[in-house]
């Protein structure tokens, strides 16, 4: 059974930092593109960042320069370092794994990030 489990969320003040982790089991993330999405209260899911199997990264304009995505294939994890957080970053953050040629995408249950003003 494939599972993605996010951790590292919490409550932080404006300007603070958090580091989210996405731990995979049941698959090796090595050939997968792994991304982070977020969904704020009453909002649609929003792309945050992704890292491809070849380590190419892509960021949403709203987080570029503040967030850094990285992967550790040996530990089967992907991390999201979030700095200079603002209340607009408040959301449930999900990680998602996908692979070219595979219809199935895997998504975790999410971790709550709350940034107080």
């Amino acid at each position: 059974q494939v599972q993605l489990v996010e951790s590292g969320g919490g409550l932080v003040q404006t300007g603070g930092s958090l580091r989210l982790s996405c731990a995979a089991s049941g698959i090796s993330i090595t050939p997968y593109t792994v991304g982070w999405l977020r969904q704020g209260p009453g909002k649609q899911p929003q792309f945050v960042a992704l890292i491809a199997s070849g380590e190419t990264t892509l960021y949403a304009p709203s987080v570029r320069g503040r967030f850094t995505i990285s992967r550790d294939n040996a530990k089967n994890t992907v991390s999201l370092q979030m700095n200079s957080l603002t209340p607009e970053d408040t959301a449930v953050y999900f990680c998602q794994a996908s692979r070219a040629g595979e219809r199935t995408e895997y998504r975790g249950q999410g971790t709550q990030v709350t940034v107080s003003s």
Side-chain angles (χ1 to χ4, degrees):
Q1 182 181 0
V2 177
Q3 279 192 312
L4 300 179
V5 179
E6 302 92 340
S7 62
L11 174 64
V12 65
Q13 291 185 333
T14 296
S17 299
L18 285 172
R19 186 176 181 85
L20 305 183
S21 291
C22 172
S25 61
I27 57 168
S28 167
I29 66 166
T30 302
Y32 285 82
T33 292
V34 182
W36 288 92
L37 306 169
R38 67 186 181 186
Q39 187 167 17
K43 298 181 180 180
Q44 292 293 317
Q46 177 187 34
F47 167 76
V48 175
L50 66 78
I51 185 165
S53 58
E55 310 251 354
T56 298
T57 58
L58 184 66
Y59 296 93
S62 61
V63 307
R64 190 177 299 127
R66 300 188 298 124
F67 291 10
T68 302
I69 190 170
S70 60
R71 64 192 297 156
D72 186 335
N73 291 336
K75 295 182 178 179
N76 227 25
T77 60
V78 171
S79 298
L80 185 69
Q81 177 67 41
M82 307 187 297
N83 299 328
S84 303
L85 287 163
T86 74
E88 288 67 39
D89 296 314
T90 293
V92 178
Y93 284 69
F94 303 86
C95 64
Q96 179 170 297
S98 61
R99 181 179 180 182
E102 286 189 7
R103 187 172 298 179
T104 301
E105 294 180 336
Y106 304 104
R107 182 181 290 190
Q109 293 297 308
T111 185
Q112 176 71 48
V113 171
T114 303
V115 185
S116 63
S117 57

